[in-house]
Amino acid sequence: MGQQPAELRPHVSARHFLGAELRCWRQQRGLSLARLAALVYVSPDLLGKIEKAERTASLDVMSRCDEALATGGALARLRRFVDHQSAAQPRTDASATMPTRFMVVMEILPVGPVDPDAAPLVNSGGRSRLYALRGGRGG
């Protein structure tokens, strides 16, 4: 008896959507992972990981899947979309970002000029104010 296929979550990301579409086309054509893998010259394990969004498919593999599944190029177009979405994601490595900390200050200010270097980001009519401290320094 075969394994129960993993539940896919196409709404999570472009890569998940590509995997769900690959599975949908493969099942519509009545092909197993092993049979499609043999047709496109990759391992069934790789195709399974692509379907579950555990691996990113190459454009070449998706083009071969398009040909084997007669999708009209749908999977290769989705693969390009995955590239576009990945490029649009902000970098998250620590060297690329400097943290911003926030400080809430309760104070009463006298009427008069305000120091422009300490101008609040949010002024709530004399109540709490929100300041952004650049560079993540605590105080």
Side-chain angles (χ1 to χ4, degrees), residues 91-98:
R91 290 180 55 184
T92 58
D93 62 329
S95 64
T97 61
M98 182 173 273

Side-chain angles (χ1 to χ4, degrees), residues 39-121:
L39 292 171
V40 298
Y41 307 107
V42 297
S43 72
D45 183 57
L46 175 63
L47 283 183
K49 287 180 179 181
I50 292 169
E51 284 186 1
K52 293 181 281 187
E54 293 172 1
R55 290 279 307 266
T56 301
S58 70
L59 184 56
D60 179 54
V61 169
M62 288 297 92
S63 295
R64 286 185 274 153
C65 287
D66 276 331
E67 190 173 316
L69 297 169
T71 67
L75 298 172
R77 285 191 300 276
L78 280 174
R79 178 58 181 87
R80 288 183 187 97
F81 180 66
V82 169
D83 284 341
H84 176 75
Q85 290 297 308
S86 296
Q89 296 295 323
R91 290 180 55 184
T92 58
D93 62 329
S95 64
T97 61
M98 182 173 273
T100 300
R101 295 185 53 179
F102 294 94
M103 175 177 66
V104 176
V105 179
M106 296 291 291
E107 62 183 307
I108 299 174
L109 297 175
V111 177
V114 176
D115 180 7
D117 291 331
L121 295 177

Side-chain angles (χ1 to χ4, degrees), residues 26 29-42 44 47 68:
R26 179 179 60 76
R29 300 300 188 250
L31 296 174
S32 66
L33 276 173
R35 182 66 186 129
L36 179 58
L39 292 171
V40 298
Y41 307 107
V42 297
L47 283 183

